[in-house]
Each structure stands twice: as structure tokens, then as C-alpha cells.
Amino acid sequence: AFVVSSCLHNFGICRIAIGLSLTMTFADARALLDRHAVVSIMTLDEQRFIWDAVQAARGAVLEIGTAYGGTAALCALAGARSIETIDNWRSGARRQCEQNLARLGLMDIVQQVAAESADVVTQFADECYSLVIIDGDHSGDVPFVDLCLYAAKVMPKGLLLVDDIANGYPAITRGRMRWLRTPQARQVTFQRAVSNNEAHCHDVVKLCVFARH
């Protein structure tokens, strides 16, 4: 059975991750990912924000929606203490993700959980993660349910990131608005929106950032 590390500090992994990031810049990390053809679905603006957030906190990261492993790899290179990432792998990207992480030497740092996010929520401790990224199923009630289940995982002063908020996925926008009306949402404050400043979709909000009180 897969045992999630939750708040436990794995010192060996921490030393590896921090060693990777001591002299590495965001540009260095991007060049490394490009050299190994590691695809990230996140825009460069989002990736830069996540890089800065991880470097500032050096804490544990929890991600819903692994895809090709690009964001998880970026968090590892930025010096996250640990990275746990959940995906049901219906996308068929699991093999590519594992190949990407293996080429980068990050298989021991990035802990993958193959499951539906709602089925494994109890494996992750509440108020334990400095960064929680919600980028899973973009349809139906799943975005709302993921927010309800995983917002509690963010530690005080930590960040909750919701991707694709206004990027052609109305279920995510509806889920966020619905969640903001719940009592749970009173524990966070909207901090900023990260726009997609690429030429074809300038100023489209891509990522919503909430800070835990």
C-alpha cells in the first residue's frame, strides 16, 4: 500500500531537493526541462509564480493533476521539501510522466499517487502543505469537490492555487464561485490572479491564488 509522508520531514529527500536548487535559477530549470523534453501544461507566467512560491517557502507541495510531471518536476528543482502528486491517469500520460521524472533523477523526490483525488483525501494531513495546486478533472462537480476536500490541506500562511480558472473550463469557474460561498472559504484570502500573457490570449486569467489565514 502507498504510504503518504504527509508532514513527516524526509531529510534525505530534502537535502537532494535543496541541493538541486541552491544555485539553480528559474531559467536554468526551464532549460533543463526543455533539454529533457519535459512538457508542462502551465504557462511560463504560472511556472515562474510557482517557482518563486516554492523557493520562498521550501515546504511540502501537494498537487492534484500530475499530467506529464512538468509542474512536479519544477517544484522539485525549486527546492520543495517534498512533492506529492495525485492523478487518475485516465489521460494515459503516466508512462511519459515517469520517464520524465526518471530522466531528471526525481523519482525519489516526487511521490506519485495513482487514484481519484476524492478517494485518497484522508491520506494527506490537514494544514500540512505550504502549496496546494488544484489542476485535476476540469468537468462536472470535481473542481468544487477538490476545493472542498483539499483546501484544508494548506497550512496557515500557505497558498492554494486553482488552475484554468477562466481558460475555457466553465466547470472550474463555477466550482470556484460555489466554493467561495462556503464557510471553508472564509479561511482564505484572494491574493492575486496570474494572467496568461502569451500573445494569443493576453490578459486571460489562468491561475487564482488564495492565501490561507
Side-chain angles (χ1 to χ4, degrees), residues 2-59:
F2 185 89
V3 179
V4 178
S5 63
S6 297
C7 280
L8 297 179
H9 188 138
N10 186 321
F11 290 103
I13 288 176
C14 183
R15 283 196 297 270
I16 293 169
I18 292 175
L20 284 168
S21 64
L22 280 176
T23 60
M24 183 173 286
T25 66
F26 175 70
D28 293 333
R30 277 303 330 154
L32 179 62
L33 294 174
D34 289 342
R35 186 159 63 249
H36 289 282
V38 177
V39 175
S40 176
I41 300 173
M42 296 276 191
T43 67
L44 282 177
D45 291 328
E46 291 178 286
Q47 292 175 53
R48 182 55 191 256
F49 178 86
I50 290 170
W51 174 272
D52 290 343
V54 171
Q55 288 228 313
R58 303 282 184 178

Side-chain angles (χ1 to χ4, degrees), residues 16 18 23 32 38 47 75 79 82 94 100 102 120 128 130 135 137 143 149 161 168 180 203:
I16 293 169
I18 292 175
T23 60
L32 179 62
V38 177
Q47 292 175 53
C75 290
S82 65
R94 183 174 190 174
N100 288 340
V120 292
C128 193
S130 62
D135 190 20
D137 193 328
L149 295 178
L161 277 55
L180 285 172
D203 286 339

Side-chain angles (χ1 to χ4, degrees), residues 177-197:
M177 297 305 296
R178 183 179 170 191
W179 177 74
L180 285 172
R181 294 192 291 269
T182 68
Q184 186 184 44
R186 297 172 191 160
Q187 297 179 334
V188 303
T189 300
F190 173 77
Q191 187 181 75
R192 61 169 293 185
V194 178
S195 297
N196 185 349
N197 291 317

Side-chain angles (χ1 to χ4, degrees), residues 11 16 24 27-28 37 57 88 107 139 162 174 182 211 213:
F11 290 103
I16 293 169
M24 183 173 286
D28 293 333
N88 58 25
M107 286 292 285
S139 63
V162 186
R174 288 195 302 268
T182 68
H213 299 162

Side-chain angles (χ1 to χ4, degrees), residues 127-207:
E127 298 188 346
C128 193
Y129 296 87
S130 62
L131 186 65
V132 173
I133 304 169
I134 296 183
D135 190 20
D137 193 328
H138 288 20
S139 63
D141 287 333
V142 177
F144 171 70
V145 172
D146 278 347
L147 275 165
C148 290
L149 295 178
Y150 283 89
K153 308 305 175 184
V154 183
M155 66 172 52
K157 309 299 183 184
L159 297 179
L160 172 67
L161 277 55
V162 186
D163 193 31
D164 291 322
I165 200 68
N167 196 42
Y169 297 101
I172 297 178
T173 302
R174 288 195 302 268
R176 177 181 67 95
M177 297 305 296
R178 183 179 170 191
W179 177 74
L180 285 172
R181 294 192 291 269
T182 68
Q184 186 184 44
R186 297 172 191 160
Q187 297 179 334
V188 303
T189 300
F190 173 77
Q191 187 181 75
R192 61 169 293 185
V194 178
S195 297
N196 185 349
N197 291 317
E198 296 174 6
H200 63 283
C201 48
H202 184 68
D203 286 339
V204 172
V205 174
K206 186 74 163 55
L207 187 73

